[in-house]
Amino acid sequence: MVTRPRILVVGAGFAGVECVRRLERRLSPGEADLTLVTPFAYQLYLPLLPQVASGVLTPQSIALSLRRSRKYRTRIIPGGAIGVDLDSKVCVIRTITDQDVNERYDYLVLAPGSVTRTFDIPGLTDNAFGMKTLAEAAYIRDHVISQLDLADASGDPAERAARLQFVVVGGGYAGTESAACLQRLTHAAVKRYPRLDPSLIKWHLIDIAPKLMPELGDKLGRSAQEILRRRGIDISLGVSVEKAGPTEVTFTDGRVVPTRTLIWTAGVVASPLIATLGAETVRGRLAVTSEMSVPGHDGVFALGDAAAVPDLAKSGDAVCPPTAQHAMRQGKVVAENVIATLRGQDLRPYEHRDLGLVVDLGGRDAVSRPLGLELHGLPAQVVARGYHWSALRTGVAKTRVLTNWTLNAVAGDDFVRTGFQARRPAKLKDFEYTDAYMTPEQVRARVEGTGPVAS
């Protein structure tokens, strides 16, 4: 019996989902079997996570179901890839029930994305919150509101002051938008707490770099800083965390800030899955050609945050930055290249000129640089939200987001915390499972052994 080629896609981020959607449209059902590995059957629209954390958007608004389309025919394995043996063409998957299975493939697309970049800072992973997953964003919202509740109920002035101080580390887009949106949340919420002194609420945004969001350029970067400082956010550049405890954070400049809230958004690194391959990397990202194929391994492609895709729109050895607009476009090109490989056709290189950057600071505050045009204030906000809205993949998601924005603008927030995770640990170490991955030797030993193999 002739079996159909098996195409395995790892990851349901922007890159993986765009690749699967294009493969489904361009391949006939009898031409190949499609399988997607992802813990959740949705695509998360990451740029809007800070708005979920601040309550502007509901979590469901930015979780785009992969099963909504009636034409969807890809088999989903609910779990994460924890190792790949490129020689044997086997991917080791840990399902959401903690079972390890071997999945064989003929063509492999690696789009596992990234994880939060951490450093060897005492207490960091035990005491800091991340902002990389939907669960983290929902948890942070509950946590921030609970700090107001607990401060309001406390009779200890020192505890009250500590609970009303918040530290965000990372002056990139995630950190800046998180600090901006969450500060607006606390500023609005404190009006419902007549026993609390609003002047006690202090937000700190720190980054080891000399500038906020340097990609924006000096003018827009300064504009963003001025907006945040006018709101009362304390910005410290050239500063990081020396150690993190459950009740205080020590900065590298010697300051000790009593706080129960440390949000860590200091960049990302490629998924640990890449280290299991034993292949060449560029600053931790998998080295690939301009066609996004892995050298020396036919039928293996990598893209998105986990791959060092050459940026042909720039000179030298530049690689594409880990942004959504690159990942989405890379997904479509990789799908075409998988099909070309399947049909014995020529591959095409990936090239895309950056369309610009948008930063939503909440309310009417934003800074944007679409196609090189520098904007701030309401025009920038229109561009920022218009870009995000148009990038949402489904009409249902667009309707939900637009409705949420409108309702929040008209009626504000009820400052409700769900409490569904109130008794569970929810720090960096509890969400990203970075200790689950195998070493190359463990992968090889498993493949050569007698572990369960999926048909």
Side-chain angles (χ1 to χ4, degrees):
M1 184 178 75
V2 177
T3 58
R4 290 188 293 268
R6 295 165 293 190
I7 301 174
L8 179 65
V9 179
V10 175
F14 290 104
V17 169
E18 287 298 327
C19 178
V20 167
R21 291 183 72 217
R22 178 62 64 94
L23 288 171
E24 286 185 324
R25 285 197 298 268
R26 297 271 285 111
L27 288 173
S28 66
E31 202 168 354
D33 290 331
L34 302 177
T35 301
L36 175 65
V37 180
T38 175
F40 310 105
Y42 63 74
Q43 177 196 356
L44 179 63
Y45 192 83
L46 273 169
L48 292 178
L49 268 185
Q51 295 192 34
V52 170
S54 63
V56 174
L57 298 175
T58 60
Q60 190 179 9
S61 303
I62 65 168
L64 286 67
S65 172
L66 299 180
R67 299 188 188 275
R68 189 165 188 88
S69 171
R70 293 180 180 178
K71 297 179 180 179
Y72 196 83
R73 58 185 173 86
T74 299
R75 178 172 69 110
I76 296 177
I77 300 179
I82 59 171
V84 177
D85 187 326
L86 294 175
D87 294 329
S88 300
K89 293 192 172 184
V90 173
C91 178
V92 183
I93 299 167
R94 181 160 296 165
T95 69
I96 57 175
T97 55
D98 287 331
Q99 291 180 310
D100 293 350
V101 296
N102 295 359
E103 182 74 17
R104 299 195 181 279
Y105 63 84
D106 298 298
Y107 300 92
L108 177 65
V109 176
L110 292 168
S114 56
V115 297
T116 301
R117 179 180 62 183
T118 58
F119 301 96
D120 190 19
I121 297 172
L124 178 64
T125 58
D126 290 324
N127 297 294
F129 301 100
M131 184 66 86
K132 195 79 171 62
T133 67
L134 195 59
E136 284 175 312
Y139 188 93
I140 285 174
R141 172 176 166 78
D142 270 18
H143 171 81
V144 168
I145 295 174
S146 73
Q147 297 313 296
L148 298 177
D149 289 342
L150 292 166
D152 183 63
S154 176
D156 181 350
E159 180 190 354
R160 185 182 300 121
R163 291 195 182 279
L164 297 179
Q165 291 212 72
F166 306 88
V167 178
V168 179
V169 182
Y173 304 109
T176 302
E177 290 187 335
S178 295
C181 291
L182 287 166
Q183 186 273 340
R184 280 182 58 87
L185 169 67
T186 55
H187 179 74
V190 76
K191 298 172 184 176
R192 313 286 179 90
Y193 296 84
R195 296 180 65 249
L196 291 181
D197 180 358
S199 67
L200 289 177
I201 297 180
K202 296 179 182 177
W203 281 86
H204 303 266
L205 175 61
I206 70 172
D207 195 284
I208 196 65
K211 298 178 182 178
L212 282 187
M213 300 176 293
E215 300 89 345
L216 279 174
D218 289 343
K219 185 178 178 181
L220 284 183
R222 284 196 304 270
S223 179
Q225 265 185 252
E226 289 168 8
I227 290 169
L228 299 184
R229 282 188 166 135
R230 274 201 310 270
R231 290 197 198 163
I233 297 176
D234 180 67
I235 299 173
S236 301
L237 300 174
V239 176
S240 188
V241 172
E242 184 174 294
K243 62 180 178 179
T247 59
E248 66 180 27
V249 175
T250 303
F251 294 169
T252 52
D253 62 4
R255 282 180 293 162
V256 178
V257 177
T259 182
R260 304 292 201 279
T261 308
L262 171 61
I263 300 173
W264 182 268
T265 65
V268 297
V269 294
S271 165
L273 177 67
I274 299 306
T276 75
L277 305 178
E280 182 185 352
T281 58
V282 178
R283 296 182 182 178
R285 300 167 74 183
L286 188 61
V288 296
T289 67
S290 58
E291 294 82 15
M292 292 172 285
S293 62
V294 177
H297 299 280
D298 292 339
V300 179
F301 299 84
L303 66 162
D305 292 8
V309 180
D311 192 344
L312 300 183
K314 298 179 182 178
S315 58
D317 298 327
V319 297
C320 296
T323 62
Q325 63 174 286
H326 277 293
M328 292 168 71
R329 290 164 176 81
Q330 288 170 8
K332 294 175 182 177
V333 175
V334 159
E336 294 295 339
N337 284 343
V338 170
I339 294 168
T341 304
L342 189 64
R343 297 173 178 173
Q345 300 168 347
D346 293 335
L347 309 186
R348 70 182 180 96
Y350 170 76
E351 183 172 3
H352 168 67
R353 191 171 297 279
D354 206 304
L355 298 177
L357 306 164
V358 295
V359 182
D360 189 336
L361 300 175
R364 296 186 176 184
D365 293 329
V367 290
S368 302
R369 196 180 66 193
L371 301 174
L373 178 64
E374 295 189 346
L375 302 172
H376 55 84
L378 188 56
Q381 182 64 283
V382 171
V383 170
R385 293 202 170 180
Y387 173 79
H388 289 315
W389 185 82
S390 65
L392 292 167
R393 189 169 48 81
T394 67
V396 171
K398 290 179 179 180
T399 302
R400 284 190 178 128
V401 166
L402 188 59
T403 302
N404 284 177
W405 279 339
T406 303
L407 188 61
N408 184 265
V410 172
D413 196 332
D414 288 329
F415 312 110
V416 173
R417 55 187 174 94
T418 62
F420 70 95
Q421 284 184 314
R423 300 289 181 182
R424 299 181 60 190
K427 299 302 193 295
L428 272 170
K429 66 175 184 177
D430 301 305
F431 277 111
E432 298 196 23
Y433 308 107
T434 52
D435 58 348
Y437 295 86
M438 294 180 164
T439 65
E441 293 74 24
Q442 289 173 324
V443 176
R444 169 57 60 182
R446 176 180 174 82
V447 171
E448 291 177 347
T450 58
V453 179
S455 60

